[in-house]
Amino acid sequence: MDAQLDDKQPENGQLDDSQAEDVQLDDIQLDDKELEDTLAASLADLVPEAKKVSEDEFVEVVGGALEAVGGTLLFKMCVQNEGEGQHVAAASIGDGGNRQFLLLTLPTGGGALKVETTSRSTNPVAGIAAAYAGLMDVFKTAA
């Protein structure tokens, strides 16, 4: 369901819970920090903190959250980062010049889900998200 935003934005730049549910993130351009915070807040109650997380559970949580905000899962993988296993997913929100790329990471042993824009991320996987999306765009055009 698409919603129209009035010209009056909240003072702190954040959407309240009722607005966040009704607004597709690709309808507005959020700055990186707002985008990270909005998606992280929507995922906070969905991820178990203290149990091992399977790849299927990770994909289910990330996929549901991205669907709720109009995002697209680009790819997912399991990697070792600083000696710890991590589930990593790259996603995009928006189209064309408004497209933003996200990196979602979750330790395989459980813990907090980290959501960050690829432009702010120091994770090596962040560098391939935009390139992968561009490749998929070329494939869609060729098909």
Side-chain angles (χ1 to χ4, degrees):
M1 165 169 75
D2 289 335
Q4 295 292 328
L5 291 177
D6 59 31
D7 293 331
K8 183 178 173 187
Q9 292 292 319
E11 290 181 49
N12 64 5
Q14 296 293 318
L15 300 175
D16 66 29
D17 290 340
S18 63
Q19 289 173 312
E21 292 175 307
D22 293 338
V23 175
Q24 293 290 318
L25 289 179
D26 59 354
D27 290 342
I28 56 177
Q29 180 70 27
L30 298 175
D31 73 20
D32 290 350
K33 183 68 175 140
E34 286 178 303
L35 183 58
E36 291 170 4
D37 291 346
T38 300
L39 193 54
S42 72
L43 293 171
D45 295 332
L46 300 175
V47 180
E49 291 274 340
K51 76 167 200 149
K52 188 170 180 147
V53 179
S54 73
E55 187 172 353
D56 290 341
E57 290 170 320
F58 176 69
V59 169
E60 184 178 329
V61 168
V62 169
L66 290 172
E67 183 178 318
V69 296
T72 302
L73 178 65
L74 299 172
F75 61 85
K76 51 122 178 97
M77 62 179 70
C78 191
V79 298
Q80 290 291 315
N81 191 9
E82 297 177 10
E84 179 182 35
Q86 283 186 331
H87 295 290
V88 179
S92 68
I93 294 178
D95 294 312
N98 290 331
R99 187 187 298 185
Q100 292 176 285
F101 299 101
L102 298 171
L103 197 66
L104 300 95
T105 56
L106 179 68
T108 56
L113 179 71
K114 185 175 182 180
V115 178
E116 55 191 342
T117 57
T118 58
S119 61
R120 292 171 42 109
S121 178
T122 58
N123 190 309
V125 176
I128 63 174
Y132 183 87
L135 182 61
M136 293 298 96
D137 291 345
V138 169
F139 285 151
K140 283 181 188 176
T141 302

